[in-house]
Amino acid sequence: MLLPPGPWLWGRGKAAAFLGFHQAHGTPCGPNTDLRRAAVFLINTNIARGNTLTGQDPEGQDIQFSWWNRIEGAPGMVQREPFTLASLRDDGGFDFTFYDSYQVCKIDKVHKKVRAGA
């Protein structure tokens, strides 16, 4: 049985660890902060449900994940690089999947999903 997407993805353990760390360091991380929104987005973006044998989600789309690459010389800046589950098991073959391209952004703004060229 596949579980529907929802708040269960965030998980109490992850939320408690995240909130505890930032509260201990005096960093505001309430429900309406960009930091909290970005953290929830990062975790939920890289948790997927679907069929690992076919590499597809329940809607028949390729299961996608993202690398979050730090930008050298720019602390706090990242760039999202999507990839598919299927690309991880291809034996060095070419990946012809078309991926969205994203702008470099501050780590606490990733939830805004700004695409390159926007």
Side-chain angles (χ1 to χ4, degrees), residues 29-111:
C29 58
N32 296 321
T33 62
D34 282 339
L35 179 62
R36 174 84 162 258
R37 289 183 186 119
V40 171
F41 174 78
L42 286 169
I43 291 169
N44 288 343
T45 298
N46 279 339
I47 296 177
R49 63 187 180 104
N51 184 326
T52 57
L53 296 176
T54 65
Q56 295 184 331
D57 66 17
E59 289 78 37
Q61 300 296 313
D62 287 338
I63 295 172
Q64 282 197 14
F65 301 102
S66 293
W67 293 110
W68 301 92
N69 300 304
R70 291 181 180 191
I71 305 302
E72 189 174 337
M77 301 295 284
V78 295
Q79 185 168 26
R80 180 179 180 184
E81 181 182 344
F83 64 95
T84 62
L85 174 63
S87 72
L88 295 176
R89 43 175 194 239
D90 291 340
D91 297 325
F94 291 104
D95 181 2
F96 293 106
T97 306
F98 172 76
Y99 299 103
D100 288 330
S101 181
Y102 294 87
Q103 289 183 9
V104 171
C105 67
K106 294 182 78 162
I107 188 71
D108 65 347
K109 304 291 184 193
V110 296
H111 61 285

